[in-house]
Structures are given as C-alpha cells and as structure tokens.
Amino acid sequence: MKENQSRSSFSGKLGYVLAVAGSAVGLGNIWRFPYLAAKYGGGIFLLVYLILMVTFGYALIVSETALGRMTKRSPVGAFRAFGKSAPFRIGGWINAVIPMLIVPYYSVIGGWVSKYLFEYLRGSTAALAEDSYFPNFISDGFSAEFWFLLFCLMVVAVLFGGVKQGVERVSKVMMPLLVLLAIFVAGYSMTRPGAWEGVKYFLIPNLENFSWMTVVAAMGQMFYSLSIAMGILYTYGSYIKKDVDIEKSTMQVEIFDTAIAMLAGLMIIPAVFAFSGGNPETLNAGPSLMFITIPKVFASMGFGTGAGIMFFLLVLLAAVTSAISLAESGVSTFEDQLGWSRSKATLLMGGVIIVIGSASALGFGVLDFVSVLGMTVLDFFDFLTNSLMMPVAALATCLLITRVAGLDKIAKEVEQSSDFKRKKMYFFFMKYLAPVCIAIILLSSIANVFGWITM
Ligand code: PFF
C-alpha cells in the first residue's frame, strides 16, 4: 500500500472546492437536469430537488468527505480501515467500481458533445437541426468511436499530470469560464420572444404537476449531480488537509452545482417554450432534448451558430472536468490497492475506458444487435450504475457510519476545522432520512425494470 506522505494533494481550499465543483458540475447538470425538470413538473421538481439536496445530499457529501480525510484512502482502503470481513470489502469495492463503469459511457456522451461543438464551429447549424442527424451520427460506428477516443485522450492527458498539475489546474481555469458562459447563454435564451412562459414553468412550483415520480427522479438526479456514492468524494477528501472546513466547502459545492443546474434549466426550458410554445411532446423529449431539440431551437433563432458554439463549449468543459474526477477515482483505487505508480494506474484506467466505452459507442451501430436486459450497452451501464449500484453504495456508507465508525467519530473529524453547526440535523439525516430515501430509489428502480412503474 502507498505511503500517506507521497499521496497527491490539493494545494489549498479554493483548489479543492473548484475541483469538487468541477466533478459535480457535468453532463448531469446541463444535459440531464433540464430534461428531467421539463418532464417531471418544472417548478415542483425544482422545489423537491432543493429540499433533498440540503438534507439528504448534504449529509452524504459530508460523510464521504470526512471518511476520505479521516482514513486518507480512496473507498476500498477507507472501508478496510474499519474491518477486513466481506461486508467491508464489498462496501469499499462497490463505491470504487462505480466510477470505473461510469466514465467509459460518460466519455461516449462527451464524444458526442465534442462532435456537436466541432460541427457548430464549421457552421453546420441547419444540418444539426434535422431529425435524422443525431440517430445517423450515433449509428455511424466510425464517427462515434473517433469522437469518443478523442474525448478519452483529453481526459487521460490531464490524469497523467496528477492532482495539482492536472485536475486542480484545469478546474481553476475551466470552472470560472463555465459560469460566465452559462450566464451568457441563459440570458440569451430567456430574452427570446415567448421564453418567459418557460421561465415561469421552471421556477414556480405548481402542485398539479406533482407525482411520485417527481420525488424519485429528483432523488436520482441529486446523486448523479453531486457525484455522491461513486467514490469520488472519498478520494478527493483523502487529498485534503485537516484545515479545510468540510461543512463550508460542502455548502459551497452544493450552491455552485445547483446554480449551474438552474442556469442550464434557464438556458434550455425557456428556449423550448420560445421554440414550441411549451408543447408537452417537446418538454418530454428526455435525453435527446440536448442533441435533437436544442439544435432545432438554435437553428430557428438569429445568432444560432454562435449560441450553439457557446452552449456546446460549455457542456464540453463541464463534461471534461467530471470525466476527469470519475477516472481519477479509479486511478487512485489502482494506486492504493495494487501499489502501482500513477502512470501505470492511469494506463490501466485508460484501457478500461477504451474497452467498455467502445462497446457503448458502437452499441448504436455495428454492435446494435447486443442488448442487455433489453437495453443498449450504454443505457445498460447507465442503469446498472445509477439505479442499482449507487443506492447500494450509499447504503454501505450509511451503515459504515451509523453501525461501525459511529456518528460521533465523523463529527469529530468535521469539527477539526469547522463549527459543524448542522451537527444535530446531520445525525438525524443519517439515522432516519438517508436509509428511507435510499430504499425508495432502489425499490423504484427495481419496479421500473419489471415494468411496474415507468420512469
Ligand atoms: N456529477 C457529474 C455530473 O453531474 O455530470 C459527474 C457524474 C456523476 C457523471 C454521476 C456520471 C454519473 F453517473
């Protein structure tokens, strides 16, 4: 096992917060959040999301970060620090394996985003707006694979640089740029004729739009968006010094992540209203909202090519920083568990990304005959990680803290550099709220597989 002293670390508090924010703000915020908000009730979805984030989400981020900092290990080592039997091994490995399975398919979507940016730069605005463009592109094996590999190359190059040189430096430049771009594109979108109805739909809660699925979707999205239950926060926590205020930095990251998600909502939902008058079919477009509906919106507006370039540049920045954090978590596990050097661990991670990612990228084309549980390879990995493994990983963290480590020990770790004002609330969330929320997600996902409910 590697010596603690030689472990990579962040240079300071700002570097850490930006790197965690870089991990949290990703395709989840810009691609996933707006389509879920559009589909599951607009303002009421936003309200439920916000409540869950400051309660359940807050408790899990604090827990994972504190465990990482306390043990100075990524998840496998962190669990092992408390015991050697099977449940500890399973709890650690499930947290560690999730990001390794996510980053390949995430990079495939990152490749699609790179392709769209390239096409906007070439001025193909009208072609991108055609219905057949997206399906044709993803089913053309060579093209999707090429853009996927290019995206991987960017990610692996940063990882070779290490934490301070790579992850932190990239986040410090990219995150402020991303905020500026987001404000600009949202401002542009909200001032289109007819867009105001979309702003109201997104911001004003309407109880009539509430359903059980609003809660389930908001909860899943919260995990996804905040990079919870995927080893990342353990890993990043293990890189920070004892003077980082965990409570404060968690709040900063949550505010940042939510601000970007809301800006993304304000970019996309008003644009959809301006374009279609809020017709339900467009609002329910789901995952293709960003690749099919939005290009149509851009093509129908003045300055569409410029808006397209800015928008996809923004998405690309967000996707790269998140992919880096997902892969970083894997690299750190290989370093710790196999005792490998950083470059060797990075190469292995690169290999895993290429194998699983290529299967996902080609799953819409030459490999389209492959279907797992009726899903394409990409959808299967998305479902496996987000709907099944992440709730189990979060449950493992909750049990480790409440049954083994003890809530007091976590509180002590946090209190080393923080007043921990919300300690009582934190205890309550961990003991009662978190297990209930996790059970709801897991049961809903299983019910979804069997077709008892549709998500
Ligand atoms: N939190 C990031 C995002 O919202 O895009 C990174 C991420 C988390 C990606 C979870 C994928 C995932 F399943």
Side-chain angles (χ1 to χ4, degrees), residues 20-32 98-99 102-103 105-106 221-228 230 232 257 318-319 321-323 325-326 381-382 385-386 390:
V20 180
S23 160
V25 174
L27 292 168
N29 302 61
I30 308 179
W31 161 69
R32 206 168 185 267
I98 291 172
I102 291 178
V103 69
Y105 84 77
Y106 199 77
Q221 173 61 14
M222 195 203 67
F223 268 84
Y224 196 102
S225 191
L226 292 171
S227 301
I228 294 170
M230 55 188 81
I232 293 174
D257 189 71
T321 47
S322 294
S325 76
L326 289 162
F381 276 107
D382 186 59
T385 49
N386 288 297
M390 273 153 64

Side-chain angles (χ1 to χ4, degrees), residues 353-407:
I353 300 179
I354 290 179
V355 173
I356 301 185
S358 297
S360 308
L362 300 173
F364 299 96
V366 280
L367 294 181
D368 65 359
F369 57 90
V370 181
S371 134
V372 194
L373 291 178
M375 293 177 242
T376 62
V377 182
L378 191 147
D379 288 336
F380 170 73
F381 276 107
D382 186 59
F383 173 78
L384 176 72
T385 49
N386 288 297
S387 304
L388 299 181
M389 292 173 77
M390 273 153 64
V392 177
L395 191 63
T397 299
C398 279
L399 292 176
L400 181 69
I401 288 179
T402 50
R403 299 285 167 84
V404 185
L407 283 162

Side-chain angles (χ1 to χ4, degrees), residues 57-240:
Y58 164 83
L60 283 175
I61 300 186
V62 168
S63 303
E64 293 191 12
T65 315
L67 280 171
R69 187 172 77 172
M70 188 194 278
T71 56
K72 287 261 164 286
R73 290 275 174 270
S74 37
V76 179
F79 272 80
R80 191 171 295 164
F82 294 97
K84 305 250 178 301
S85 58
F88 292 98
R89 261 182 291 147
I90 296 170
W93 275 106
I94 191 163
N95 272 282
V97 166
I98 291 172
M100 298 178 196
L101 296 181
I102 291 178
V103 69
Y105 84 77
Y106 199 77
S107 302
V108 173
I109 305 177
W112 298 347
V113 173
S114 318
K115 159 83 174 174
Y116 270 59
L117 174 61
F118 175 74
E119 290 298 337
Y120 272 110
L121 285 168
R122 286 208 319 182
S124 323
T125 315
L128 291 170
E130 276 166 28
D131 275 334
S132 56
Y133 191 90
F134 183 62
N136 283 348
F137 161 58
I138 58 172
S139 58
D140 168 1
F142 172 75
S143 191
E145 177 72 11
F146 170 81
W147 288 100
F148 154 68
L149 289 175
L150 203 71
F151 185 88
C152 288
L153 213 67
M154 283 192 270
V155 173
V156 173
V158 176
L159 288 181
F160 265 115
V163 171
K164 255 187 221 137
Q165 294 301 325
V167 179
E168 186 176 323
R169 193 189 275 176
V170 170
S171 301
K172 265 189 180 157
V173 181
M174 285 196 180
M175 296 320 287
L177 189 64
L178 192 141
V179 176
L180 288 179
L181 273 176
I183 293 175
F184 184 85
V185 180
Y188 176 78
S189 168
M190 282 158 61
T191 47
R192 296 307 89 201
W196 202 244
E197 281 309 307
V199 177
K200 286 202 276 189
Y201 175 75
F202 177 54
L203 293 182
I204 303 175
N206 180 351
L207 264 181
E208 274 172 27
N209 293 335
F210 181 82
S211 75
W212 177 240
M213 285 316 296
T214 310
V215 181
V216 176
M219 201 147 25
Q221 173 61 14
M222 195 203 67
F223 268 84
Y224 196 102
S225 191
L226 292 171
S227 301
I228 294 170
M230 55 188 81
I232 293 174
L233 299 167
Y234 282 91
T235 307
Y236 280 16
S238 76
Y239 295 155
I240 52 175

